[in-house]
């Protein structure tokens, strides 16, 4: 979305892109075929002796909320921003600090490595029960109800007064990081495990699969 003013502008260290959708299994197969072609492999084909694994995919649930970037320096939360136009976002650090599930300091127990600078990406959302509670209050005050939880979450993040954000009890799932900042992590599944270990809230409904059938089974289950 375009920047609207009212907040300081910050540049993301790496672009925050939107996801590409697939609405059928045919489109999913097209995606997989492009991946296999780029890697020079066919479905289920083994890699080299050095890397004898099949091409693996991590299936995750897409949470419908508002994407944010969280920056940590020496394990301390120093800046949070909206996705904005993907290159520049709005500094909403004060509002993000009101979300209890965003750690202000990362855990480094059991020798887990914390990079000097870490930028993670996550989805801030509003739970359905909280959405219903807020709309009930708005109706009692004679205000129009929010149309859906996604818009309500986005609007809550852009409150000028952080106290207004705090009253709406937002939540977050972290789903990624700027890869160059975690070179010691080998893949997405391992990244999600690592992020959970150092204190981030990660959705546990994930599964690593190695074929179209594995992805389809995950989709059919949900």
């Amino acid at each position: 979305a375009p920047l609207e003013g009212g907040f300081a502008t910050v540049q993301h260290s790496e672009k925050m892109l939107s996801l590409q959708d697939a609405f059928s299994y045919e489109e999913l197969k097209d995606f997989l075929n492009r991946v296999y072609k780029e890697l020079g492999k066919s479905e289920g084909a083994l890699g080299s002796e050095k890397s004898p694994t099949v091409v693996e995919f991590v299936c995750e649930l897409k949470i419908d909320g508002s994407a944010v970037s969280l920056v940590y320096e020496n394990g301390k939360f120093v800046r949070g921003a909206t996705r904005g136009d993907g290159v520049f976002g709005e500094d909403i650090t004060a509002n993000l600090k009101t979300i209890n599930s965003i750690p202000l300091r990362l855990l480094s127990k059991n020798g887990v490595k914390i990079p000097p600078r870490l930028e993670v990406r996550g989805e801030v959302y509003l739970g359905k029960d909280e959405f219903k509670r807020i709309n009930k209050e708005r109706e009692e005050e004679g205000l129009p109800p929010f149309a859906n939880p996604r818009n309500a979450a986005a609007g809550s993040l852009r409150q000028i007064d952080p106290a207004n954000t705090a009253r709406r009890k937002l939540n977050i799932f972290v789903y990624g990081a700027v890869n160059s900042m975690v070179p010691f992590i080998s893949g997405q599944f391992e990244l999600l495990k690592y992020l959970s270990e150092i204190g981030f809230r990660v959705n546990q409904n994930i599964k690593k699969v190695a074929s179209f059938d594995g992805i389809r089974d995950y989709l059919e289950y949900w």
Side-chain angles (χ1 to χ4, degrees):
L3 305 179
E4 298 178 6
F7 294 91
T9 300
V10 297
Q11 184 171 0
H12 301 302
S13 61
E14 186 177 279
K15 285 184 179 180
M16 289 187 71
L17 303 176
S18 57
L19 297 176
Q20 182 177 347
D21 296 323
F23 295 100
S24 68
Y25 285 127
E26 286 68 30
E27 291 182 17
L28 176 59
K29 286 182 178 178
D30 288 341
F31 163 71
L32 295 182
N33 287 333
R34 289 198 301 274
V35 171
Y36 294 132
K37 184 178 180 180
E38 285 289 324
L39 297 176
K41 299 179 181 181
S42 60
E43 181 176 353
L46 291 177
S48 65
E49 291 183 6
K50 190 175 181 180
S51 178
T53 58
V54 297
V55 180
E56 294 179 320
F57 302 88
V58 181
C59 298
E60 307 173 43
L61 300 180
K62 173 65 174 71
I63 306 303
D64 205 18
S66 186
V68 296
S69 164
L70 310 175
V71 177
Y72 290 77
E73 293 181 353
N74 298 316
K76 182 180 179 182
F77 179 45
V78 295
R79 195 189 75 199
T82 63
R83 183 167 68 188
D85 62 8
V87 178
F88 294 96
E90 295 167 311
D91 188 333
I92 53 168
T93 307
N95 289 349
L96 289 169
K97 283 183 175 180
T98 70
I99 301 176
N100 291 333
S101 47
I102 293 180
L104 300 182
R105 188 169 290 279
L106 302 179
L107 305 175
S108 58
K109 60 182 180 180
N110 301 325
V112 177
K113 185 177 181 180
I114 305 292
R117 183 176 173 85
L118 176 65
E119 183 175 343
V120 302
R121 274 74 191 274
E123 193 88 358
V124 171
Y125 69 95
L126 193 64
K128 290 182 178 179
D129 289 343
E130 182 65 9
F131 175 67
K132 292 176 182 177
R133 182 192 70 78
I134 292 171
N135 269 350
K136 183 178 179 182
E137 283 187 358
R138 290 179 65 84
E139 289 172 352
E140 290 172 352
E141 295 171 6
L143 298 172
F146 290 121
N148 56 63
R150 183 182 188 180
N151 290 352
S156 298
L157 283 177
R158 300 187 73 262
Q159 295 292 306
I160 299 300
D161 184 355
N164 291 331
T165 303
R167 281 194 287 270
R168 293 186 181 175
K169 295 182 175 59
L170 295 166
N171 215 331
I172 190 172
F173 280 122
V174 172
Y175 55 74
V178 175
N179 292 334
S180 60
M181 297 181 182
V182 283
F184 48 89
I185 299 297
S186 60
Q188 175 69 2
F189 196 81
E190 291 71 26
L191 175 64
L192 293 174
K193 181 180 178 182
Y194 168 74
L195 293 175
S196 180
E197 288 177 346
I198 61 177
F200 291 108
R201 186 167 182 261
V202 174
N203 195 301
Q204 298 301 305
N205 297 301
I206 59 175
K207 187 176 183 180
K208 184 159 58 174
V209 300
S211 67
F212 167 78
D213 289 342
I215 298 174
R216 182 183 57 195
D217 289 346
Y218 179 87
L219 292 171
E220 293 291 345
Y221 174 82
W222 286 102

